[in-house]
Amino acid sequence: MRTIGLVKEFPAGSTGAIFGRRLTLKAVAGVDLEIAPGETLGLVGESGSGKSTLGRLILKLLEPTAGRVIFAGRDLSALTRRELRGLRREMQIVFQDPYSSLNPRMRVRAIVGEGIEIHKLARGKEKQARIVELLEMVGLGAEALDRYPHEFSGGQRQRIGIARALAVNPRFLVLDEPVSALDVSIQAQIINLLQDLQERLNLTYLFIAHDLRVVEHISRRVAIMYLGKIVELASRDEIYVHARHPYTRALLSAIPTIDAAGRPERIKLPGEVPSPLNPPSGCSFHPRCPYAKDVCRTVVPRLETGRGGHAVACHVFPAP
């Protein structure tokens, strides 16, 4: 899977005009990403950074303003609706909230079997056997078939959501903060499940999160996103040991730890994330960056790739 110059802008509405100029919300501002088959790429950033929008653009749940998504060698923007529907079987999503993403009026057998029905993958006894197989695969069983979502815990509901996504035999999953609404102990169980399923089914993941602590345990590479742009991209070990971008360093310093001696000094960023309606000139991070120079205020840094594929968009700390 690959994105090329992906951009998404939303109209700001009647209130988003200054001096007669209509404003747009720049949710994704030219993202180039590549995810190899079978790998997990972690995508991390604060709320409002554009992570979920990027995930939906990749799945064609949103139409991009500009740019392309290449999946299985095919440009999704060039596909007809019928061709895209056939390809959707191979691309699925697991949502953040395991309760609101499940229809409360449908029983589990209907929720998990919906994709099988739509794509005509099985019927009758074969379909029911497939639904039971999926439930067992995610740690539930046939006893869940005739129950409703409200009868399950949060972790169990997320397992149902995962089973639903797997029902059509996808190759690629967007995991949109799949554990952020769960207790810490349940988070570990779901992450272990996702890793087991990836190995068993040869799945490729885009794992979206705001918590670098969670991403560390599942990702092979990590991309850091800020205000619609990728500001750092490297292997997991490079990110956690040799982070270069000041924003990445600030996120790492906020990870809780019980090792007081080994805890890095907390980097407190001033202010809030700027509005994507009116992003800063130059580097979008410069108003909050303790190392900002004059060039940072005027020139947009490019995402440059250095040693070992470590890419950084920063004038002060360029790629190694």
Side-chain angles (χ1 to χ4, degrees), residues 177-228:
E177 303 211 36
V179 299
S180 63
L182 305 176
D183 292 340
V184 173
S185 60
I186 306 301
Q187 287 182 4
Q189 294 176 20
I190 297 300
I191 289 173
N192 288 337
L193 171 64
L194 290 169
Q195 289 176 316
D196 291 342
L197 290 170
Q198 183 176 40
E199 184 175 348
R200 177 176 175 180
L201 303 175
N202 194 30
L203 297 170
T204 303
Y205 291 155
L206 174 63
F207 190 96
I208 298 172
H210 62 269
D211 187 345
L212 274 166
R213 174 182 54 83
V214 172
V215 169
E216 182 179 9
H217 297 290
I218 192 170
S219 302
R220 192 181 92 182
R221 291 187 301 140
V222 178
I224 309 298
M225 195 168 186
Y226 186 80
L227 212 63

Side-chain angles (χ1 to χ4, degrees), residues 11-312:
S14 58
T15 60
I18 297 179
F19 303 117
R21 179 170 62 91
R22 182 71 60 185
L23 296 181
T24 57
L25 189 153
K26 301 174 178 63
V28 176
V31 169
D32 297 321
L33 273 183
E34 187 166 357
I35 308 177
E39 85 159 325
T40 298
L41 175 68
L43 181 62
V44 182
E46 294 171 281
S47 296
S49 62
K51 308 182 302 296
S52 294
T53 301
L54 178 58
R56 285 160 172 74
L57 288 171
I58 289 172
L59 296 179
K60 208 73 174 350
L61 298 177
L62 291 173
E63 288 291 333
T65 304
R68 296 187 294 156
V69 178
I70 310 296
F71 181 77
R74 306 178 73 180
D75 184 346
L76 299 190
S77 62
L79 300 181
T80 65
R81 182 175 296 183
R82 184 173 181 178
E83 290 172 331
L84 184 60
R85 181 176 179 178
L87 201 59
R88 285 199 187 281
R89 280 184 51 192
E90 303 186 35
M91 307 180 296
Q92 292 292 306
I93 184 169
V94 175
F95 295 97
Q96 174 181 355
D97 188 342
Y99 188 74
S100 63
S101 65
L102 303 177
N103 190 329
R105 299 184 179 183
M106 293 174 65
R107 298 179 190 270
V108 169
R109 71 166 70 240
I111 292 171
V112 177
E114 190 172 22
I116 299 173
E117 188 76 26
I118 290 171
H119 291 281
K120 299 179 174 59
L121 300 179
R123 299 180 63 183
K125 293 182 178 179
E126 183 182 356
K127 174 185 170 184
Q128 295 307 310
R130 174 60 176 161
I131 294 171
V132 172
E133 179 188 16
L134 287 162
L135 290 174
E136 292 175 344
M137 196 182 296
V138 298
L140 299 175
E143 64 277 5
L145 285 170
D146 293 312
R147 295 164 64 188
Y148 292 95
H150 73 268
E151 299 181 69
F152 296 90
S153 68
Q156 289 172 325
R157 285 195 290 266
Q158 195 59 290
R159 291 173 187 268
I160 294 168
I162 294 169
R164 177 180 60 182
L166 296 177
V168 292
N169 302 314
R171 289 193 286 169
F172 174 67
L173 289 182
V174 171
L175 305 169
D176 190 3
E177 303 211 36
V179 299
S180 63
L182 305 176
D183 292 340
V184 173
S185 60
I186 306 301
Q187 287 182 4
Q189 294 176 20
I190 297 300
I191 289 173
N192 288 337
L193 171 64
L194 290 169
Q195 289 176 316
D196 291 342
L197 290 170
Q198 183 176 40
E199 184 175 348
R200 177 176 175 180
L201 303 175
N202 194 30
L203 297 170
T204 303
Y205 291 155
L206 174 63
F207 190 96
I208 298 172
H210 62 269
D211 187 345
L212 274 166
R213 174 182 54 83
V214 172
V215 169
E216 182 179 9
H217 297 290
I218 192 170
S219 302
R220 192 181 92 182
R221 291 187 301 140
V222 178
I224 309 298
M225 195 168 186
Y226 186 80
L227 212 63
K229 297 179 180 180
I230 303 299
V231 297
E232 188 160 10
L233 172 64
S235 69
R236 176 184 58 197
D237 293 343
E238 277 289 304
I239 287 289
Y240 286 88
V241 180
H242 302 296
R244 297 188 66 81
H245 198 282
Y247 179 57
T248 307
R249 296 179 182 181
L251 292 178
L252 288 168
S253 75
I255 297 176
T257 175
I258 60 174
D259 181 11
R263 179 186 300 153
E265 182 180 352
R266 178 70 185 271
I267 302 173
K268 297 182 179 180
L269 299 176
E272 302 289 336
V273 179
S275 170
L277 283 172
N278 189 26
S281 60
C283 174
S284 57
F285 186 64
H286 86 257
R288 306 174 72 194
C289 181
Y291 309 102
K293 299 180 179 180
D294 288 343
V295 66
C296 303
R297 299 176 176 87
T298 57
V299 180
V300 178
R302 295 179 57 188
L303 187 67
E304 302 282 358
T305 302
R307 185 180 65 248
H310 194 151
V312 186

